[in-house]
């Protein structure tokens, strides 16, 4: 069941290539904007790099949250999912995982390339990629709650960001903090383990919360 | 005799009860406010270190405490409303949110005005000020979600979920901001514990805290009554109440 | 206020303005509600009057 929904969502995503690419290009454009605004001066960019990459990752994954449930909501498959004997949380977990595969993984793969643009040392790049790898699923899971709550609302896109951004802040702090700690030569594994902890907590609670918000939205 | 707790859980009887309680709490809060301000401004000595500026503490600390406390109370009532499907508790949570947001704003505003003479800048990324700001965003998120949904039942339930998710995140946000703050430029000049307070200062502040409690109860009950009226406009008891002109 | 008058009074004034604003908001929300009800009431009265006369 879990596999089924992931395969199905990936298939849907593949059919609409543009969704995957728009999120990725949004990420690239936002990250490249900062040197233009702040100036090409290298060590300024180097100190800013983790924060910029993480904020861009946050915004990029949030952009595509709206589409996580809305297509199924519009053509009614979401109601079928609600009625199906399968546990809704598992379905939501599958959907969040598929959303992560479609938006999170490209960001993780693209981050080192952009890191070079900011002249990050190689081990900082590795830490950045590891932190993003651990952090982006948390973004998709918490984002699933926001997407489920604002299903079918007018102006839902803006509302999701208002609901979900405060909840992203711990991941942002420790994600950017890990890379900064590494660049400052300090141990960064505490940060990564904390993001791992956020990941585990959100894997357990977020699908349940998103499932109950789906039930609320579709009642 | 068994106390029938659920008598007041119906909007109609709660409306009348709240109507009787509001003036009582308004009176108490005004009294406490006068006493608190008197103690705060006339009895409490000038602080040797901060001069007169510390008198802002008499509204800054109560507002900050109230903003955090009201969010937890709001999440509690929202949770009850979600679990037991009692409309009145969800209405109560909706009534609490604006007052909580107002106290958060006051805490931020007075914090900035107090920071200017003491730390030289309007805004310092002190851990508590930052988590207060994030708490403000949580309030705004709750209120805008409820405003965006037309059907009151769904608005209550959706608000309840985001309030409960928020309340779980408050400690996480607080500690990550705390860690973040000490991580960056070391522990900045932060008012980590209230300066050794003379007793009169402390009593002044505690009176003001009580005054803000009473004020919040009065305002929240008042707003709850208006929300009840709005949502129960189709019912007979409202029409009959209106006829009697006792709305 | 030892030179800090601006800050102390600035914060107190804003606080009381917020409190007053909140109370005013609730009362005019209530007033619009009452207008609505009396409006509905008038409609009901007219209806009953028309029914009886026609």
């Amino acid at each position: 069941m879990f596999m089924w929904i992931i395969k199905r969502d990936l298939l849907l995503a593949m059919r609409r290539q543009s969704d995957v690419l728009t999120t990725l290009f949004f990420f690239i454009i936002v990250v490249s904007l900062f040197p233009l605004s702040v100036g090409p001066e290298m060590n300024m960019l180097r100190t800013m790099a983790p924060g910029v990459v993480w904020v861009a990752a946050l915004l990029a994954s949030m952009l595509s949250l709206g589409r996580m449930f809305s297509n199924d909501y519009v053509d009614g498959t979401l109601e079928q999912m609600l009625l199906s004997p399968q546990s809704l949380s598992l379905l939501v977990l599958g959907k969040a995982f598929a959303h992560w595969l479609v938006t999170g993984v490209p960001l993780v793969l693209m981050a080192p390339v952009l890191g070079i643009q900011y002249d990050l040392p190689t081990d900082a790049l590795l830490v950045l990629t590891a932190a993003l790898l651990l952090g982006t699923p948390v973004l998709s899971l918490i984002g699933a709650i926001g997407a489920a709550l604002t299903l079918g609302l007018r102006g839902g896109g803006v509302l999701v960001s208002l609901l979900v951004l405060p909840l992203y802040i711990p991941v942002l702090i420790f994600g950017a903090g890990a890379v900064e700690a590494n660049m400052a030569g300090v141990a960064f594994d505490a940060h990564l383990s904390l993001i791992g902890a956020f990941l585990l907590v959100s894997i357990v609670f977020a699908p349940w919360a998103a499932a109950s918000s789906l039930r609320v939205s579709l009642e | 005799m068994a106390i029938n707790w659920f008598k007041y859980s119906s909007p109609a009887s709660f409306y009348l009860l709240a109507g009787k309680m509001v003036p009582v709490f308004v009176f108490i809060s005004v009294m406490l406010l006068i006493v608190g301000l008197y103690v705060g401004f006339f009895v409490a000595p000038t602080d040797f270190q901060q001069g007169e500026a510390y008198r802002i503490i008499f509204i800054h600390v109560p507002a900050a405490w109230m903003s955090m406390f009201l969010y937890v109370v709001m999440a509690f009532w929202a949770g009850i409303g979600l679990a037991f499907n009692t409309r009145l508790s969800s209405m109560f949570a909706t009534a609490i949110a604006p007052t909580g947001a107002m106290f958060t704003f006051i805490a931020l505003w007075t914090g900035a005005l107090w920071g200017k003479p003491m730390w030289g800048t309007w805004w310092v990324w002190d851990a508590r000020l930052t988590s207060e700001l994030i708490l403000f965003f949580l309030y705004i998120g709750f209120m805008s979600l409820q405003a965006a949904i037309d059907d009151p039942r769904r608005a209550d339930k959706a608000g309840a979920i985001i309030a409960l998710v928020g309340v779980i995140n408050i400690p996480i946000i607080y500690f990550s901001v705390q860690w973040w703050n000490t991580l960056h430029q070391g522990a900045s000049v932060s008012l980590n514990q209230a300066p050794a307070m003379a007793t009169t200062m402390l009593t002044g502040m505690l009176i003001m805290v009580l005054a803000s409690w009473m004020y919040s109860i009065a305002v929240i009950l008042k707003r709850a009554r208006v929300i009840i009226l709005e949502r129960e406009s189709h019912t007979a008891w409202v029409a009959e109440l209106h006829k009697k002109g006792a709305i | 206020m030892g030179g800090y008058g601006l800050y102390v009074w600035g914060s107190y004034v804003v606080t009381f303005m917020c409190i007053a604003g909140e109370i005013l908001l609730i009362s005019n929300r209530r007033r619009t509600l009452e207008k609505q009800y009396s409006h509905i009431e008038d409609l009901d009265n007219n209806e009953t009057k028309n029914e009886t006369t026609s």
Side-chain angles (χ1 to χ4, degrees):
Chain A
M1 188 54 208
F2 185 62
M3 281 310 145
W4 169 79
I5 190 147
I6 296 172
K7 266 203 281 311
R8 170 187 171 275
D9 267 27
L10 284 184
L11 191 65
L12 281 176
M14 283 315 132
R15 271 200 212 112
R16 286 190 315 281
Q17 287 288 352
S18 68
D19 281 355
V20 179
L21 298 180
T22 40
T23 321
L24 191 58
F25 282 120
F26 172 83
F27 179 65
I28 295 167
I29 291 170
V30 166
V31 170
S32 321
L33 280 181
F34 278 87
L36 301 173
S37 58
V38 171
E41 206 255 340
M42 260 317 159
N43 46 27
M44 157 74 87
L45 288 181
R46 200 172 301 120
T47 48
M48 270 176 43
V52 163
V53 169
W54 263 96
V55 169
L58 235 67
L59 297 179
S61 85
M62 217 176 42
L63 253 183
S64 51
L65 278 183
R67 286 191 301 279
M68 189 189 277
F69 295 113
S70 56
N71 304 349
D72 295 343
Y73 173 63
V74 164
D75 57 27
T77 45
L78 204 55
E79 265 117 29
Q80 301 313 325
M81 284 187 196
L82 249 72
L83 302 173
S84 76
Q86 300 304 334
S87 92
L88 189 54
S89 322
L90 198 63
L91 284 176
V92 168
L93 187 62
K95 280 198 100 50
F97 188 74
H99 172 266
W100 175 64
L101 285 181
V102 167
T103 50
V105 170
L107 300 192
V108 172
L109 300 180
M110 188 50 82
V113 174
L114 294 173
I116 292 166
Q117 195 184 16
Y118 280 70
D119 180 30
L120 278 179
T122 46
D123 54 356
L125 282 181
L126 291 180
V127 171
L128 179 67
T129 326
L132 274 172
L133 197 61
L134 278 173
T136 36
V138 183
L139 304 183
S140 303
L141 283 161
I142 298 179
I145 303 176
L149 279 174
T150 57
L151 203 56
L153 294 183
R154 63 200 182 295
V158 179
L159 198 54
V160 172
S161 54
L162 201 59
L163 294 182
V164 153
L165 275 180
L167 308 178
Y168 279 173
I169 285 173
V171 176
L172 177 67
I173 288 176
F174 289 108
V179 186
E180 246 157 61
N182 175 271
M183 286 205 292
V186 181
F188 57 87
D189 43 11
H191 302 268
L192 292 185
S193 48
L194 266 170
I195 302 177
F198 291 148
L199 178 57
L200 294 179
V201 167
S202 46
I203 283 181
V204 169
F205 288 112
W208 173 74
S212 48
S213 8
L214 274 181
R215 280 196 199 88
V216 163
S217 307
L218 282 174
E219 218 161 59
Chain B
M1 58 95 179
I3 301 171
N4 169 0
W5 291 111
F6 292 102
K7 172 167 179 296
Y8 289 113
S9 73
S10 85
S13 40
F14 177 79
Y15 183 83
L16 301 173
L17 171 73
K20 287 195 273 294
M21 282 161 61
V22 166
V24 172
F25 283 110
V26 166
F27 175 72
I28 300 176
S29 70
V30 169
M31 282 304 122
L32 284 174
L33 189 68
I34 294 167
V35 171
L37 286 181
Y38 174 74
V39 168
F41 276 91
F42 299 107
V43 175
T46 52
D47 186 70
F48 61 93
Q49 194 189 16
Q50 300 188 9
E52 298 302 333
Y54 88 96
R55 293 196 194 281
I56 300 178
I57 198 173
F58 294 117
I59 34 173
H60 177 65
V61 171
W65 286 355
M66 279 314 290
S67 60
M68 284 176 247
F69 177 66
L70 281 180
Y71 192 89
V72 175
V73 170
M74 179 177 84
F76 168 74
W77 282 115
I80 298 270
L82 189 65
F84 298 110
N85 230 330
T86 48
R87 292 197 321 276
L88 191 58
S89 1
S90 316
M91 287 188 213
F92 212 56
T94 317
I96 289 174
T99 310
M102 186 204 75
F103 273 122
T104 327
F105 171 72
I106 291 178
L108 288 170
W109 176 269
T110 49
L113 253 70
W114 193 1
K116 181 70 175 118
M118 286 310 118
W119 299 332
T121 57
W122 293 106
W123 178 259
V124 167
W125 285 99
D126 171 62
R128 275 153 321 140
L129 281 181
T130 317
S131 20
E132 192 76 34
L133 185 66
I134 299 170
L135 182 66
F136 188 63
F137 296 149
L138 289 176
Y139 272 116
I140 299 298
F142 176 83
M143 287 195 287
S144 46
L145 176 64
Q146 292 219 320
I149 303 173
D150 305 326
D151 151 34
R153 299 301 302 274
R154 178 182 167 186
D156 287 350
K157 290 206 166 83
I161 292 176
I162 200 69
L164 290 171
V165 168
V167 93
I168 293 171
N169 271 290
I170 281 184
I172 300 173
I173 289 176
Y174 182 69
F175 286 117
S176 44
V177 166
Q178 196 85 14
W179 203 331
W180 162 79
N181 180 280
T182 47
L183 209 48
H184 268 269
Q185 4 78 338
S188 69
V189 173
S190 67
L191 196 66
N192 32 36
Q193 70 345 1
M197 293 182 72
T199 49
T200 45
M201 295 182 197
L202 199 58
T203 43
M205 196 176 74
L206 291 182
I207 295 173
M208 287 300 280
V209 167
L210 286 180
S212 55
W213 270 45
M214 294 302 136
Y215 162 76
S216 317
I217 297 174
V219 164
I220 289 166
L221 286 180
K222 216 164 121 71
R223 185 177 296 115
R225 293 182 79 220
V226 171
I227 292 176
I228 292 174
L229 277 186
E230 273 165 6
R231 296 230 185 131
E232 307 284 310
S233 52
H234 54 279
T235 57
W237 67 272
V238 170
E240 172 255 325
L241 207 62
H242 182 71
K243 277 200 186 55
K244 268 198 307 200
I247 229 169
Chain C
M1 274 295 149
Y4 294 122
L6 168 71
Y7 306 114
V8 176
W9 298 125
S11 36
Y12 275 86
V13 161
V14 166
T15 312
F16 289 120
M17 266 186 348
C18 290
I19 291 177
E22 196 176 21
I23 294 170
L24 287 180
L25 268 177
I26 301 176
S27 45
N28 78 35
R29 191 169 163 183
R30 173 179 279 276
R31 219 172 297 120
T32 44
L33 214 59
E34 267 159 33
K35 263 200 237 82
Q36 241 178 2
Y37 285 154
S38 43
H39 186 56
I40 298 167
E41 208 183 328
D42 302 345
L43 289 182
D44 297 347
N45 299 354
N46 302 353
E47 257 159 44
T48 48
K49 219 181 295 121
N50 305 350
E51 274 146 26
T52 49
T53 48
S54 66

